[in-house]
Amino acid sequence: MTTIAEMPAGFADKVLSAQSTFRSVMDAMARPGSVQRIEAASGVPAPLMRGSAAIALTLFDQDTPVWLDAKMAATLDVAKWIKFHTSAPVIADSSVCSFALIGDIDQLPALQRFAIGSNDYPDRSTTLIVQVPSLTQGPAIELRGPGIDGTAVLRTQMAPDLLERLAVNHALFPRGIDLVLVADDAIVAIPRTTRFVAKEG
Amino acid sequence: MNAPTYNFAYLDEQTKRMIRRAILKAIAIPGYQVPFASREMPMPYGWGTGGVQVTAAILGTNDVLKVIDQGSDDTTNAISIRKFFEKTAGVVTTTSTADATVIQTRHRIPEAPLHAQQVLVYQVPIPEPLRYLEPRETETRRMHALGEYGLMHVKLYEDIARFGHIATAYAYPVKVNARYVMDPSPTPKFDNPKMDNCPALQLFGAGREKRIYAIPPYTSVVSLDFEDHPFTRYKHDACCALCDSGDSYLDEIVTDNKGSRMFVCSDTDYCETRQSQGHRGSENAAPYAESKHA
Ligand SMILES: [Zn+2]
């Protein structure tokens, strides 16, 4: 096990890596369903994927409380790594977090446990960073909405009830949460504007 | 070597993170104005500090930057901003719309169609489309929250009653993704249709007013209008005197002190590209055709 003192700095060049990671996340958010690659961070404690770590290094800081799901919080390593590298407070109350790190998508808490913003300030909402095994394998889900030219197809393992919950999230617009799915160094974003249709087979 | 006198793209990393988070929210909530903690920039507010901060937060070493002001790459404002990013980010700049990956603009959308590998960054002086109708921020925020835009329709309809048409020619309000009414910044309404279903990402930065908003690619952008008074694109009934384009936005230029005038494309890159392809307008005849106009 690595101790904090031995932790390598996540990015080799912090400034340029943060920029390139941000552009991947921005492109992902602007084009839901598109798979973007991100410049992966190194020295990342399990079960944090290197893509999730890169997003943390890019977007987290002392102004963004972070919530961890049970899998991420199973050891103290992830919380320690986040505090050390990003200065973000790791908090227990998911309803006021800026970001939530989800290690187990099958145990995703009810979405109303996160911040969904208000109609006056819909931006005061949680962005969920959700780790999944793959963004190229799995049942096809058709996506529509802003950022998508007609339709896009997402392939991933997602429980059917999660699609229903995301449909509720979409209906809350302009309130709602936004998702960034991560598989290793690949990401797909699903903002609150995206609608889903599960496809056969 | 580049001496590290400046932070990359001027802004410190904490400011960039804050702006980047605001940009992501703006994309997720198309047309909604996300508050952000605007920073002082080494230029006056009128020079587009909001757009400059958005550009600084997204720009990377692989980007090719174009800066336009009223359609021109060569105004003092455009040149200064281009030099600012050449110096602080070491970024390659261009005047070609097609070659640019990031285009920062004031008052125009390029004539050449934008593509999916591009980001268009608008400098916005007044982001709130309802501000002239309702000065109170708490009230405009409430109207946006409820999607209650009756006041805007009344204003446009008063135009029709007074002038027989909607008189607003710049900053003509649009509805984004069938939800938020948005100010497209002081672009001519001629440019409004270019925002609709655009393949490029459009980001808007207002420095003094501390707001960032966005239109994702392929998003519906509809100019507000009425069934009996549909939106129309206005342009001068003329062709460009230099490149003969009949469908670009034209500026009227006084050519001498006797008040002679001609119309030329506002978008200089578009006009020059057409001229280089051999298109000639009435004031710019090719040598072989000169006798015709003598
Ligand atoms: Zn022309």
Side-chain angles (χ1 to χ4, degrees):
Chain A
M1 177 169 296
T2 319
T3 66
I4 295 269
E6 293 163 347
M7 278 182 177
F11 281 142
D13 182 323
K14 287 185 179 180
V15 172
L16 297 182
S17 297
Q19 187 278 333
S20 111
T21 301
F22 169 70
R23 278 291 276 276
S24 298
V25 177
M26 183 180 86
D27 287 344
M29 197 62 84
R31 300 168 197 283
S34 70
V35 179
Q36 307 287 336
R37 298 273 159 192
I38 64 182
E39 193 167 328
S42 57
V44 175
L48 199 60
M49 289 178 176
R50 49 193 191 139
S52 313
I55 294 172
L57 293 170
T58 301
L59 295 174
F60 295 9
D61 59 26
Q62 61 273 21
D63 296 330
T64 62
V66 174
W67 182 84
L68 306 179
D69 78 347
K71 187 168 178 186
M72 287 287 179
T75 71
L76 287 175
D77 291 359
V78 173
K80 279 184 190 164
W81 186 91
I82 287 169
K83 286 180 198 163
F84 180 79
H85 283 296
T86 75
S87 307
V90 175
I91 60 168
D93 181 359
S94 58
S95 71
V96 291
C97 68
S98 300
F99 294 96
L101 277 170
I102 310 296
D104 186 353
I105 190 173
D106 292 327
Q107 300 295 321
L108 188 65
L111 299 182
Q112 57 269 29
R113 284 187 48 195
F114 299 103
I116 58 168
S118 62
N119 281 323
D120 281 9
Y121 291 96
D123 55 307
R124 295 178 181 174
S125 57
T126 303
T127 301
L128 272 61
I129 298 164
V130 182
Q131 296 188 169
V132 294
S134 170
L135 288 166
T136 51
Q137 313 272 312
I141 303 159
E142 193 177 271
L143 311 181
R144 291 171 185 270
I148 300 169
D149 186 12
T151 59
V153 173
L154 167 64
R155 285 192 173 275
T156 194
Q157 292 292 345
M158 204 186 265
D161 83 296
L162 180 53
L163 286 183
E164 286 163 25
R165 289 151 72 193
L166 289 173
V168 172
N169 181 57
H170 172 75
L172 292 172
F173 190 87
R175 295 176 298 153
I177 51 139
D178 307 305
L179 268 69
V180 180
L181 306 178
V182 181
D184 191 24
D185 67 343
I187 62 168
V188 167
I190 303 173
R192 63 195 80 180
T193 49
T194 302
R195 304 187 300 281
F196 298 86
V197 184
K199 292 177 85 173
E200 296 298 312
Chain B
M1 289 300 291
N2 284 341
T5 321
Y6 300 94
N7 294 313
F8 179 78
Y10 187 79
L11 294 176
D12 64 90
E13 290 305 291
Q14 192 188 336
T15 299
K16 282 186 203 160
R17 274 194 300 275
M18 177 267 297
I19 295 175
R20 286 167 177 166
R21 292 193 297 258
I23 290 171
L24 296 178
K25 295 288 194 210
I27 294 169
I29 315 167
Y32 167 74
Q33 302 163 47
V34 181
F36 81 111
S38 180
R39 293 291 190 257
E40 292 291 326
M41 297 300 282
M43 57 191 77
Y45 275 122
W47 285 42
T49 57
V52 168
Q53 288 177 81
V54 169
T55 298
I58 69 172
L59 209 58
T61 48
N62 296 329
D63 277 311
V64 179
L65 176 69
K66 173 182 165 80
V67 182
I68 45 172
D69 176 17
Q70 311 267 11
S72 168
D73 296 87
D74 297 320
T75 67
T76 313
N77 184 308
I79 292 169
S80 305
I81 293 172
R82 209 157 56 226
K83 286 205 172 129
F84 175 76
F85 285 117
E86 280 170 358
K87 189 166 178 182
T88 59
V91 76
V92 175
T93 59
T94 184
T95 57
S96 160
T97 298
D99 293 346
T101 57
V102 175
I103 303 172
Q104 183 173 325
T105 184
R106 189 172 84 131
H107 291 191
R108 280 308 313 281
I109 299 173
E111 304 290 358
L114 300 178
H115 56 76
Q117 276 66 49
Q118 294 178 314
V119 183
L120 183 60
V121 179
Y122 297 73
Q123 304 171 198
V124 180
I126 298 166
E128 178 49 72
L130 306 168
R131 185 60 70 230
Y132 295 112
L133 309 169
E134 172 51 68
R136 287 166 299 179
E137 163 73 15
T138 47
E139 285 304 304
T140 54
R141 184 164 291 283
R142 204 70 214 133
M143 290 177 196
H144 287 298
L146 299 170
E148 174 49 63
Y149 296 121
L151 208 57
M152 179 60 87
H153 280 95
V154 168
K155 191 257 175 202
L156 294 176
Y157 211 86
E158 280 172 0
D159 269 14
I160 294 170
R162 246 174 58 219
F163 308 106
H165 60 95
I166 296 172
T168 306
Y170 295 87
Y172 188 105
V174 294
K175 192 172 255 191
V176 179
N177 189 33
R179 176 60 179 80
Y180 281 100
V181 166
M182 190 198 89
D183 189 323
S185 86
T187 49
K189 68 175 183 175
F190 175 86
D191 284 338
N192 276 19
K194 296 176 191 166
M195 294 189 291
D196 180 41
N197 203 36
C198 177
L201 171 63
Q202 301 171 77
L203 300 176
F204 300 76
R208 191 178 46 220
E209 305 259 339
K210 303 182 172 58
R211 294 287 185 275
I212 288 172
Y213 50 105
I215 306 172
Y218 309 110
T219 297
S220 140
V221 178
V222 177
S223 301
L224 299 185
D225 65 358
F226 301 94
E227 228 163 81
D228 48 342
H229 286 274
F231 172 83
T232 52
R233 242 182 160 184
Y234 173 78
K235 85 181 259 299
H236 293 292
D237 186 20
C239 289
C240 172
L242 299 178
C243 79
D244 204 36
S245 173
D247 54 8
S248 77
Y249 189 74
L250 302 173
D251 286 336
E252 191 173 15
I253 306 235
V254 178
T255 52
D256 58 31
N257 53 17
K258 284 174 270 174
S260 305
R261 287 156 193 280
M262 67 176 188
F263 290 103
V264 297
C265 295
S266 138
D267 183 334
T268 50
D269 170 61
Y270 172 82
C271 194
E272 282 161 17
T273 303
R274 278 181 55 85
Q275 291 175 60
S276 73
Q277 291 163 347
H279 297 281
R280 300 283 160 183
S282 57
E283 299 296 320
N284 187 25
Y288 66 86
E290 254 170 19
S291 56
K292 244 179 22 186
H293 294 275

